[in-house]
Amino acid sequence: MSKRKIVIIGNGISGITCARNIRKNDEQADILVISGETKYFYSRTALMYIYMGHMKFEHTKPYEDWFWEKNRIDLLQAWIELVDFQQKKLICHNGDTIHYDHLILATGSKPAILDWPGKQLNGVQGLYSYQDLELMAEKTKGIKSAVVVGGGLIGIEMAEMLASRKIHVTFIVRESNFWDNVLPKEEAMLINKHIREHGIDLRLSTELDEILDDGKGNVKAIRTKNGDTVSCEFVGITIGVIPNIDFLRDTDLELGKGILVDTYFRTNLANVYAIGDCAEFRDSIGENRKKIEQVWYTGRMHGESLAHNLSSARVMPYQPGVWFNSAKFFDIEYQTYGNVPPQIEEDSETFYWEDKSGKVAIRFNYLKHSECFQGVNAFGWRLRHEFFDRAISEKWTIDRVIGQLDKSSFNPEFYKPYHRLVLDAYNKTRGKAVKFRKTSFFHKLIGSRA
Amino acid sequence: MKKLQVLGLGLFIVGLSIFSYLPFIGQYQLEETMVEAEVKSEHQEVMLSILRPMFGETYQINFQFISDLNRLIDAHNDDLKIREAWDEVIWDDYSFPLTKAAANTPISDYPLAYFSLSVLLAIFGAMLYIVPLYRGEPEGIKNNGIYFSSMKSRGLLGIITGTYLILFYVLLYWFPAYIANLVIMVDPLSKALSGQEASQWFLYGLLYTLAILVMGIRMFRKYKGNMYQTIRTASVMFFQLAFAFLIPEILILLNKPWHDFKNIWPLDYSFFYDYRLEGMVSSGALGMFMLVWGIVLIVIGVPLLTYFYGKRWYCSWVCGCGGLAETLGDPYRQLSDKTLKAWKVERYLVHGVLVFAVLMTAVTLANYFMEFGLLGQATNQLHSIYGFAIGAAFAGVVGTGFYPLMGNRVWCRFGCPLAAYLGIVQRFKSRFRITTNGGQCISCGNCSTYCEMGIDVRWYAQRGQNIVRASCVGCGVCSAVCPRGVLKLENGTEDGRINDMPIIIGNKSVQVKS
Ligand SMILES: Cc1cc2nc3c(=O)[nH]c(=O)nc-3n(C[C@H](O)[C@H](O)[C@H](O)COP(=O)(O)OP(=O)(O)OC[C@H]3O[C@@H](n4cnc5c(N)ncnc54)[C@H](O)[C@@H]3O)c2cc1C
Ligand code: SF4
Ligand code: SF4
């Protein structure tokens, strides 16, 4: 392959995966990854653990520093202020210019914020970048109380972070249960309870109205739309993220909410691509899939797919497989595979089981007529990705899934065998007689699942 | 921290301080009768004459006493060495038994009182601190603030603790005379158990066992809700208390050779030494059983159990070194070095020690059966090099003393020859692996950070590859701390265990081979 210069803006999971995979197929290309945030790739998802003292920044780097030189991936820490698409040139914050043949935009997201009065006050911020984290560490040093606004994944992480430093947190959530625009009600309520168990003052169906000033430019309190005031020294805004594309406005690049791309990640300009959080698909990429995908795994898959297309003869459209995701709400892990909407659809049936501890729960959705399995939500229960990926793509019936639940668990050894309780509940409520296959004593003894 | 816990911490520090001060109290007075009692008959005459200046003299502190004692013996030896009268040189180290005999301290009169004031007080304080830990908190990972803690992140407290431990080991192995008072303190306990006076090794074994028990209780608190950790910890506590501590003492009481049934050659490097073999061979049926049991463990037990369960069955369920690492060492597990470079060093070192141990044992056995003079000398030389460099300096001083500096498994990872042997079996012929859960890894790094063996678990997890590593001791902590449920220790069929070209589930457009 000819020696071409591929420049990637953004060293997050999507940009870095793309760079690594291009290098695997293409020995020749010049690959340069530029990011203003940090020189080296780190795991954004681990930011919370730095704040909580589980890790240092060093530990969040998935590759040792020598890795990049060895794989001839050049790194540059710089902010790109302008892209000259005609001249194929990037202009850095310090005035340097960089030429490219192929440009990959992987600039990620930034925190969304609404036009609340007082949003510019000292001590009000979102959490996305390493700089945000440092700022948060500085602003929350020694404080007693904080407010987190917005009940999503980053919101609950921020609440956990603050609570780990013994800061009292008031958590303001617009919805009537935590994250219930994604989670069905039972699950959302289970998490409500767990949030409160950690001493968080969770206020549901509550919206922020105004952030109040202490007269010196610092935050003093917030006022909700119900008229309550909550005094606090810090306000975390976590109402969502939006594509980080401001520096690309007023250019020839077509933008929607994000950078508009086709299923090959091509923008409207030749040799310019976009992947990860900042990309917005023009067309649907599959049933129940969003046009902007803002999770780690999809960023990785975007990177893999584009790298393939840039470094092999046969180009392929992006075709994600069965949906999956996971998160952790304080101590309760959450995994989901397939389609589990917050409100059950007309043609579907649902089976929900919750342990009496209130910390373990599982939900199966399936079609009414064919009993075809659609998706699963699990709380406090690790599930085997491979198993559910197969069950969903091969369209197993719900009975078959339940009948093999013992093989689907990914919990550590010696954990309570919840699958038996689930099987019993399923048989009882559905009038069925599904059974597990017997495991021989020898297999039990050697602890084998096979 | 609750008030009770602060009090507990305070009592622990007081207990530890008293314990550390005890070696320096009392007076020392050497009598002829003591020399007669403690010194081998062939040395008695000379020793009596060399040590004459000390008889009747009262020393106010042990330093002075030990230094005089050593000076006199050394002067005698130096003179002989100059004259190359090697046979007459006194090679035996009498400083410990003589100091112990000469000590005239209140500890000898009230050993139990001093034991209570030091060791028991420290344990009591530790329990006051540990038992209420995380009370009222939901079950879950308790790693908050570890990297802000001076003790756990190589801060000043960590360095002080490391220094203290190193100093203790240096005294224990090479200058036990200085801790004679502490040994005197545990004499009654030793007599009650085995009918013998305590040695420094009894003191060490006792403290070691207590450390595992107390810090094991801490593990129960910390990993509350994780059954794998709970059962595993209970197992190491049991094996230490019963197999390493009580049974050997009872054997001595019954006039049988000291034997730890769970210790396996080559970790138990002296298993084939002539005195051990003699001891077993001459102790009737029980001795024969010890010998056969030891050999069966090496030849059949290790490969078979490791085939089915991985090396974890030993390293993090049974072994004493592992037991200490997993309990006392747990607060320091994150300090292991994860770099590729460290992995390289590890492979050279640990296999080097294995080769050394095997060669040494081969020479020992050859000597045992052939009784060839030159071989005998070589054997002794090898034994003393191994005993000093590996048995004491590496396993003890570095292995434990460096917990707060390099993590809790320095010995297990870089030095233990048995771990090397188990590791070879685990790597090449075993059903054990850590399975990675499809595409769920978010590369956060918790697993790598908390792997005590310095395995970069994330490297494998993020590319969907099973972790099959010789060094993995199966502690299960990577799996416990993973926030996305990505890692599972399991035993399964051998096919598909090692996947060099893993595919991450989730992307249908391209199948990336990592
Ligand atoms: C706190 C937090 C927790 C999260 N947890 C999870 C989780 O548990 N699971 C999950 O699936 N997802 C999670 N996410 C979302 C996930 O991190 C993102 O989807 C993912 O990181 C996006 O990757 P990316 O490569 O698209 O962009 P990013 O990782 O955002 O990388 C983009 C990079 O480009 C740089 N950049 C942007 N513009 C410029 C410019 N003009 N010049 C130079 N550099 C520029 C940015 O500084 C940034 O470093 C979390 C996000 C946050 C903030
Ligand atoms: S802890 Fe889990 S999610 Fe984090 S890097 Fe390791 S395997 Fe991946
Ligand atoms: S890989 Fe996991 S189980 Fe193995 S030693 Fe490391 S932390 Fe323990």
Side-chain angles (χ1 to χ4, degrees):
Chain A
M1 235 172 251
S2 68
K3 191 163 159 111
R4 49 193 175 148
K5 177 150 186 178
I6 301 174
V7 175
I8 302 173
I9 307 182
N11 68 353
I13 180 68
S14 61
I16 285 296
T17 307
C18 191
R20 282 178 39 243
N21 283 293
I22 293 174
R23 175 56 80 224
K24 267 183 222 159
N25 296 333
D26 182 348
E27 286 282 308
Q28 303 290 316
D30 264 344
I31 304 176
L32 170 65
V33 184
I34 305 172
S35 180
E37 188 182 356
T38 53
K39 178 170 180 197
Y40 293 104
F41 170 45
Y42 78 97
S43 178
R44 190 173 304 292
T45 53
L47 280 176
M48 66 183 294
Y49 301 110
I50 303 176
Y51 185 87
M52 299 199 301
H54 295 204
M55 288 191 273
K56 290 190 176 176
F57 176 73
E58 281 307 300
H59 301 112
T60 67
K61 292 194 281 189
Y63 301 93
E64 285 184 61
D65 292 349
W66 51 257
F67 179 88
W68 308 104
E69 206 184 308
K70 180 171 169 246
N71 289 290
R72 287 180 297 115
I73 295 172
D74 298 327
L75 305 176
L76 174 69
Q77 184 171 6
W79 289 106
I80 302 302
E81 299 213 312
L82 222 65
V83 183
D84 183 341
F85 290 105
Q86 266 82 42
Q87 307 273 325
K88 296 192 157 197
K89 252 180 16 195
L90 309 174
I91 294 128
C92 298
H93 63 295
N94 58 4
D96 287 356
T97 61
I98 296 161
H99 163 81
Y100 67 83
D101 296 321
H102 296 264
L103 179 65
I104 299 168
L105 299 164
T107 56
S109 306
K110 61 177 192 180
I113 192 156
L114 296 181
D115 224 356
W116 293 296
K119 67 170 187 185
Q120 76 298 334
L121 288 174
N122 202 354
V124 181
Q125 68 166 100
L127 173 63
Y128 190 82
S129 66
Y130 185 56
Q131 283 75 19
D132 291 342
L133 185 81
E134 286 185 313
L135 185 70
M136 178 174 166
E138 186 196 315
K139 297 290 176 197
T140 57
K141 202 168 221 156
I143 69 165
K144 295 267 180 318
S145 60
V147 168
V148 176
V149 182
L153 294 176
I154 301 180
I156 194 168
E157 283 189 5
M158 218 174 186
E160 183 176 355
M161 290 159 73
L162 293 161
S164 81
R165 295 203 183 178
K166 311 262 185 282
I167 296 168
H168 181 265
V169 181
T170 308
F171 191 12
I172 295 191
V173 173
R174 189 183 56 188
E175 292 75 25
S176 42
N177 288 296
F178 171 76
W179 212 35
D180 71 0
N181 48 340
V182 176
L183 297 178
K185 198 165 163 210
E186 287 86 350
E187 287 96 312
M189 286 171 60
L190 182 148
I191 300 300
N192 289 346
K193 236 183 353 188
H194 187 56
I195 294 173
R196 292 190 168 126
E197 185 184 12
H198 276 274
I200 308 288
D201 180 2
L202 174 65
R203 306 212 180 164
L204 299 165
S205 311
T206 306
E207 278 184 72
L208 178 64
D209 191 31
E210 187 183 356
I211 305 169
L212 307 173
D213 192 337
D214 72 345
K216 288 183 228 132
N218 303 313
V219 52
K220 177 180 85 181
I222 58 122
R223 190 172 9 251
T224 67
K225 287 205 174 147
N226 329 347
D228 297 340
T229 46
V230 180
S231 59
C232 60
E233 298 149 275
F234 177 84
V235 178
I237 304 287
T238 57
I239 55 168
V241 295
I242 48 173
N244 180 13
I245 51 173
D246 289 343
F247 74 109
L248 299 166
R249 289 192 199 283
D250 307 319
T251 63
D252 294 342
L253 192 67
E254 261 188 66
L255 304 175
K257 280 191 182 127
I259 304 166
L260 290 169
V261 295
D262 62 11
T263 51
Y264 299 87
F265 302 101
R266 294 182 294 216
T267 65
N268 65 311
L269 303 174
N271 298 327
V272 179
Y273 308 85
I275 50 176
D277 276 25
C278 68
E280 178 181 353
F281 295 104
R282 291 172 191 275
D283 306 308
S284 163
I285 48 160
E287 228 186 312
N288 309 312
R289 303 285 295 217
K290 296 208 181 90
K291 290 199 168 166
I292 306 184
E293 299 188 309
Q294 292 161 323
V295 290
W296 184 265
Y297 322 98
T298 51
R300 194 192 70 223
M301 294 191 279
H302 293 182
E304 289 166 357
S305 306
L306 177 61
H308 171 89
N309 288 350
L310 286 178
S311 59
S312 45
R314 231 183 55 173
V315 298
M316 301 282 289
Y318 172 57
Q319 234 191 320
V322 172
W323 171 256
F324 66 96
N325 201 3
S326 57
K328 191 171 182 185
F329 307 115
F330 286 89
D331 302 312
I332 299 185
E333 286 174 28
Y334 153 72
Q335 293 188 341
T336 184
Y337 301 98
N339 183 28
V340 187
Q343 258 95 33
I344 183 86
E345 281 154 4
E346 267 296 293
D347 57 348
S348 308
E349 196 60 70
T350 191
F351 168 64
Y352 177 77
W353 174 88
E354 190 177 306
D355 184 56
K356 56 181 186 318
S357 65
K359 299 208 175 171
V360 184
I362 195 162
R363 175 189 298 280
F364 301 88
N365 277 9
Y366 54 97
L367 294 180
K368 271 184 188 150
H369 291 294
S370 58
E371 299 211 324
C372 175
F373 173 57
Q374 297 291 294
V376 60
N377 269 354
F379 288 77
W381 186 340
R382 296 174 173 180
L383 299 177
R384 205 175 282 274
H385 188 173
E386 195 186 356
F387 179 94
F388 286 98
D389 189 72
R390 242 186 89 196
I392 294 168
S393 44
E394 293 177 2
K395 300 195 186 322
W396 290 13
T397 62
I398 178 72
D399 283 3
R400 185 166 169 201
V401 174
I402 300 274
Q404 294 190 35
L405 216 51
D406 53 335
K407 308 255 184 307
S408 76
S409 173
F410 208 72
N411 277 336
E413 293 147 306
F414 304 116
Y415 266 53
K416 212 169 145 185
Y418 294 111
H419 52 270
R420 297 194 178 282
L421 303 175
V422 172
L423 181 82
D424 290 346
Y426 177 77
N427 282 337
K428 209 151 131 199
T429 57
R430 312 283 132 145
K432 302 238 184 176
V434 180
K435 278 199 198 95
F436 296 138
R437 265 223 328 262
K438 275 225 157 18
T439 329
S440 74
F441 175 71
F442 179 69
H443 274 108
K444 277 186 199 153
L445 189 70
I446 62 171
S448 166
R449 73 188 153 97
Chain B
M1 221 172 1
K2 296 166 196 116
K3 283 204 185 94
L4 209 61
Q5 284 185 296
V6 178
L7 176 69
L9 214 54
L11 292 180
F12 173 78
I13 292 170
V14 171
L16 189 68
S17 308
I18 294 176
F19 178 83
S20 315
Y21 182 66
L22 288 185
F24 309 110
I25 69 170
Q27 297 179 336
Y28 298 81
Q29 217 161 13
L30 195 65
E31 311 286 348
E32 288 176 41
T33 47
M34 295 170 186
V35 178
E36 281 156 12
E38 302 295 339
V39 169
K40 287 183 187 164
S41 52
E42 69 256 38
H43 291 147
Q44 279 197 7
E45 207 176 317
V46 264
M47 285 292 270
L48 280 173
S49 84
I50 308 171
L51 297 178
R52 187 142 320 265
M54 289 179 74
F55 296 146
E57 187 102 18
T58 306
Y59 291 86
Q60 297 303 332
I61 181 127
N62 59 354
F63 284 109
Q64 195 57 50
F65 177 84
I66 297 166
S67 107
D68 270 11
L69 189 72
N70 287 339
R71 191 170 42 78
L72 292 174
I73 299 176
D74 286 348
H76 169 77
N77 280 344
D78 286 346
D79 183 43
L80 293 171
K81 284 178 189 167
I82 292 169
R83 289 194 278 123
E84 299 192 18
W86 302 111
D87 292 350
E88 290 167 50
V89 173
I90 299 174
W91 298 107
D92 300 71
D93 185 2
Y94 288 119
S95 63
F96 174 71
L98 288 179
T99 310
K100 192 174 170 222
N104 175 11
T105 74
I107 302 176
S108 339
D109 303 328
Y110 308 104
L112 207 69
Y114 280 93
F115 189 68
S116 307
L117 265 178
S118 57
V119 177
L120 292 185
L121 185 66
I123 293 180
F124 179 70
M127 295 308 277
L128 275 189
Y129 178 76
I130 287 169
V131 173
L133 273 178
Y134 315 116
R135 178 163 292 166
E137 289 179 34
E139 292 171 359
I141 295 305
K142 307 294 182 210
N143 286 344
N144 285 349
I146 284 190
Y147 274 98
F148 309 138
S149 150
S150 162
M151 184 57 133
K152 297 173 191 169
S153 67
R154 265 184 227 126
L156 188 62
L157 283 181
I159 293 171
I160 293 173
T161 309
T163 314
Y164 183 90
L165 285 171
I166 291 169
L167 217 71
F168 176 76
Y169 272 93
V170 169
L171 291 181
L172 177 76
Y173 280 113
W174 297 297
F175 307 100
Y178 292 93
I179 52 171
N181 281 353
L182 297 174
V183 180
I184 293 170
M185 182 171 77
V186 296
D187 262 342
L189 189 61
S190 176
K191 282 187 187 137
L193 281 170
S194 66
Q196 306 276 321
E197 271 197 16
S199 66
Q200 77 263 40
W201 304 119
F202 177 82
L203 171 73
Y204 179 50
L206 177 70
L207 295 177
Y208 197 104
T209 308
L210 289 173
I212 290 187
L213 295 179
V214 171
M215 291 300 276
I217 294 172
R218 173 186 166 279
M219 290 291 284
F220 294 148
R221 300 300 304 163
K222 177 163 183 201
Y223 293 94
K224 187 174 61 157
N226 186 323
M227 282 313 280
Y228 183 77
Q229 298 304 330
T230 305
I231 298 177
R232 186 175 69 78
T233 305
S235 170
V236 290
M237 288 162 79
F238 166 77
F239 278 103
Q240 176 62 30
L241 181 64
F243 281 66
F245 186 65
L246 291 179
I247 296 177
E249 296 298 327
I250 293 168
L251 284 172
I252 296 177
L253 185 69
L254 301 176
N255 244 326
K256 301 287 177 203
W258 187 97
H259 197 87
D260 174 356
F261 284 95
K262 66 161 181 47
N263 206 353
I264 306 177
W265 177 90
L267 174 58
D268 181 8
Y269 57 89
S270 62
F271 184 79
F272 292 106
Y273 282 13
D274 51 1
Y275 73 91
R276 297 270 308 265
L277 289 178
E278 301 277 347
M280 291 187 277
V281 172
S282 61
S283 301
L286 184 66
M288 258 351 252
F289 173 73
M290 288 173 181
L291 184 63
V292 173
W293 171 250
I295 294 174
V296 165
L297 272 183
I298 299 160
V299 184
I300 302 172
V302 165
L304 203 67
L305 286 169
T306 308
Y307 171 71
F308 283 120
Y309 304 106
K311 84 197 242 189
R312 56 181 169 156
W313 77 268
Y314 193 72
C315 297
S316 61
W317 283 72
V318 172
C319 178
C321 306
L324 193 71
E326 295 290 351
T327 50
L328 183 68
D330 180 74
Y332 306 110
R333 53 184 321 122
Q334 64 284 353
L335 301 177
S336 60
D337 188 341
K338 278 73 180 190
T339 58
L340 194 65
K341 213 157 135 201
W343 184 15
K344 278 190 188 142
V345 173
E346 162 197 321
R347 280 181 294 180
Y348 278 111
L349 262 180
V350 79
H351 295 119
V353 174
L354 176 63
V355 170
F356 186 3
V358 171
L359 285 179
M360 175 181 79
T361 305
V363 174
T364 308
L365 283 176
N367 175 52
Y368 182 73
F369 290 111
M370 292 168 21
E371 293 183 41
F372 179 53
L374 219 59
L375 217 53
Q377 261 183 21
T379 312
N380 289 339
Q381 283 275 320
L382 282 175
H383 288 185
S384 67
I385 295 174
Y386 193 96
F388 173 80
I390 313 287
F394 204 156
V397 179
V398 180
T400 307
F402 277 57
Y403 276 6
L405 309 173
M406 289 172 68
N408 55 336
R409 285 277 194 177
V410 180
W411 159 249
C412 313
R413 180 183 180 192
F414 295 102
C416 176
L418 179 57
Y421 171 29
L422 288 153
I424 292 170
V425 181
Q426 165 159 294
R427 173 67 184 77
F428 295 104
K429 193 73 192 163
S430 171
R431 295 164 61 89
F432 172 74
R433 86 293 307 274
I434 301 176
T435 311
T436 324
N437 203 9
Q440 289 282 23
C441 177
I442 51 169
S443 299
C444 69
N446 276 297
C447 52
S448 298
T449 306
Y450 287 91
C451 175
E452 54 191 354
M453 297 305 283
I455 298 173
D456 190 359
V457 183
R458 164 174 55 192
W459 171 269
Y460 304 90
Q462 67 192 359
R463 58 210 293 268
Q465 189 174 19
N466 289 346
I467 296 113
V468 179
R469 277 278 293 266
S471 62
C472 169
V473 291
C475 65
V477 169
C478 54
S479 161
V481 299
C482 173
R484 294 295 178 270
V486 179
L487 305 163
K488 179 168 166 62
L489 282 65
E490 49 181 6
N491 316 313
T493 54
E494 281 176 82
D495 21 285
R497 174 174 169 262
I498 297 178
N499 47 352
D500 284 332
M501 290 288 218
I503 292 167
I504 319 178
I505 304 175
N507 193 350
K508 278 206 296 192
S509 28
V510 291
Q511 300 226 304
V512 182
K513 305 251 162 76
S514 286

